[in-house]
Amino acid sequence: MARYGEGDKRWIVEDRPDGTNVHNWHWSETNCLDWSKTFFTSLLTNLPILDGEGNLFLKTTSLRSLDGEAYINVRKGKIIPGYEISLTLNWQGEAKDTLGTSLLKVDGTVEIPYISDENADEDPEVRVTVDDEGPVGKRIKDAMVSKGKPLILEKVRVWVQSMAKGGPVKDELEPKKVAPSSLSPSPAATTTTTTPTTTKTTAAAPKKEEKKEKVKKGRKSISMTERFNCRAKDLFEILMDENRWKGFTQSNARISKEVGGEFSIFDGSVTGTNLELQEGKLIVQRWRFGSWNDGVQSTVRLEFEEPESGVTVVKLTHTDVPEEDR
């Protein structure tokens, strides 16, 4: 699985001006690390472990750190979580005698060094430390291991389940419904086309229908500029390599490297033809989404500029995009 930010940025739609991912056809990727920090902070701050049982008082105090990567990929509405994180918690413990007099107060940490999507069905390793390893301190630590560890792992499983459901983007995954359009002309429109002597009253209906047709056939353009830390020729090669497309998108792809050759990506949901290819400089393609009406096509133009060695700026212009799909 590609690391966050290393996928094909033409399909990372979160930074588009309109933020639209119509019908969830595109491969969208959302960074969930900050969301995860907030999630774990809420779950694991001031979490009571023991409140007097055995004259021990234990609780977590704060999330010290959460590092690594966490993201949600969505393709055709399918949620694909990815994460490799480590977290560290602060905790406090106190032991009292039978009269309620404090014997010892300690601070410690709970470290979970590796939480990964590859091991989502397994409990991760948990390490507990304490700042006093004396007899009383060891008793407090043992209580934290026996009572605190299961409770903390339970909270981790809550986060894992939330990631599996889409994390911060789960509420955005419902596809937008577009009202179906009729492909056959109405009786009024047919009368207008075939009968030159239609009266003024009858002619009013087709004018309204013509207005609807004009809106339906509206076109828009999309422009984006992205910066990549790589050579222009390497990025050009990646975009024209069907095996890398398959790897990045986890979907079938077939890409011709010849002008006039055809391509099919995202399991055939996007098809088209290469119109112009200049290695390391330009890709121009005719694009068509499978959800579009018959005969509707658009044009994608990718211009590569390398202002300095190892830095490539890509300018994307996507023209003739249907209004409802922009």
Side-chain angles (χ1 to χ4, degrees):
M1 184 177 293
R3 294 180 179 273
Y4 176 79
E6 294 182 1
D8 185 343
K9 291 193 174 183
R10 293 189 299 173
W11 299 99
I12 307 303
V13 300
E14 61 181 348
D15 291 330
R16 281 174 46 171
D18 59 5
T20 302
N21 184 5
V22 179
H23 311 308
N24 287 315
W25 281 112
H26 302 176
W27 178 278
S28 67
E29 187 170 280
T30 301
N31 190 340
C32 300
L33 192 60
D34 288 340
W35 173 84
S36 298
K37 290 178 180 178
T38 301
F39 196 98
F40 277 118
T41 297
S42 175
L43 286 177
L44 296 172
T45 297
N46 294 321
L47 178 67
I49 307 298
L50 287 177
D51 190 23
E53 297 89 335
N55 294 322
L56 296 178
F57 299 82
L58 305 176
K59 68 174 183 177
T60 65
T61 56
S62 63
L63 178 68
R64 175 182 287 191
S65 65
L66 190 147
D67 300 304
E69 60 179 6
Y71 51 88
I72 294 292
N73 287 325
V74 179
R75 169 71 180 120
K76 290 186 178 179
K78 181 180 179 181
I79 300 168
I80 309 171
Y83 48 88
E84 289 184 7
I85 62 171
S86 63
L87 68 83
T88 303
L89 303 174
N90 294 320
W91 66 275
Q92 291 179 345
E94 183 179 11
K96 295 183 179 182
D97 62 17
T98 55
L99 299 177
T101 303
S102 179
L103 299 175
L104 179 67
K105 290 182 178 181
V106 297
D107 292 311
T109 62
V110 176
E111 181 185 3
I112 305 180
Y114 189 68
I115 305 173
S116 170
D117 60 280
E118 295 179 352
N119 308 106
D121 57 346
E122 303 174 9
D123 287 334
E125 176 188 3
V126 178
R127 303 170 184 170
V128 179
T129 65
V130 67
D131 61 3
D132 188 319
E133 292 286 355
V136 179
K138 186 176 185 304
R139 183 161 69 94
I140 297 174
K141 175 184 176 182
D142 289 345
M144 186 65 183
V145 172
S146 63
K147 300 295 185 180
K149 176 180 173 180
L151 189 55
I152 291 170
L153 286 176
E154 179 185 320
K155 302 302 182 182
V156 170
R157 286 192 288 270
V158 171
W159 176 82
V160 169
Q161 292 168 4
S162 183
M163 286 288 287
K165 294 177 181 178
V169 300
K170 62 182 178 181
D171 294 333
E172 303 173 9
L173 298 180
E174 285 297 322
K176 296 180 180 178
K177 295 182 179 180
V178 180
S181 58
S182 174
L183 298 181
S184 58
S186 67
T190 303
T191 302
T192 303
T193 304
T194 58
T195 310
T197 59
T198 303
T199 65
K200 183 177 181 180
T201 302
T202 306
K207 285 184 178 179
K208 185 175 181 180
E209 183 67 25
E210 289 171 3
K211 184 177 181 181
K212 287 184 179 180
E213 187 71 6
K214 182 178 269 187
V215 173
K216 186 181 72 173
K217 290 186 177 180
R219 298 288 183 268
K220 293 291 182 179
S221 296
I222 298 171
S223 297
M224 297 174 63
T225 300
E226 295 287 349
R227 182 184 178 94
F228 299 84
N229 293 322
C230 64
R231 299 298 302 271
K233 64 177 184 179
D234 294 332
L235 185 55
F236 177 94
E237 180 182 342
I238 289 171
L239 296 178
M240 297 302 297
D241 187 331
E242 63 184 42
N243 290 322
R244 296 191 187 184
W245 264 95
K246 293 175 183 178
F248 288 145
T249 66
Q250 298 294 297
S251 62
N252 291 323
R254 179 175 51 81
I255 302 175
S256 169
K257 297 183 180 181
E258 304 294 331
V259 173
E262 298 181 346
F263 68 88
S264 172
I265 55 179
F266 294 118
D267 294 326
S269 62
V270 179
T271 56
T273 306
N274 296 324
L275 301 180
E276 188 175 353
L277 300 174
Q278 297 180 29
E279 185 175 1
K281 295 182 179 180
L282 180 67
I283 297 175
V284 182
Q285 296 173 322
R286 187 77 70 195
W287 277 42
R288 170 174 167 74
F289 285 77
S291 59
W292 290 353
N293 291 335
D294 291 343
V296 176
Q297 294 183 324
S298 64
T299 302
V300 169
R301 182 181 182 89
L302 289 165
E303 299 178 62
F304 301 79
E305 296 181 1
E306 196 168 338
E308 56 184 285
S309 180
V311 176
T312 299
V313 176
V314 179
K315 296 181 180 179
L316 164 69
T317 305
H318 194 168
T319 57
D320 294 330
V321 179
E323 169 71 23
E324 67 272 16
D325 211 21
R326 67 188 179 89

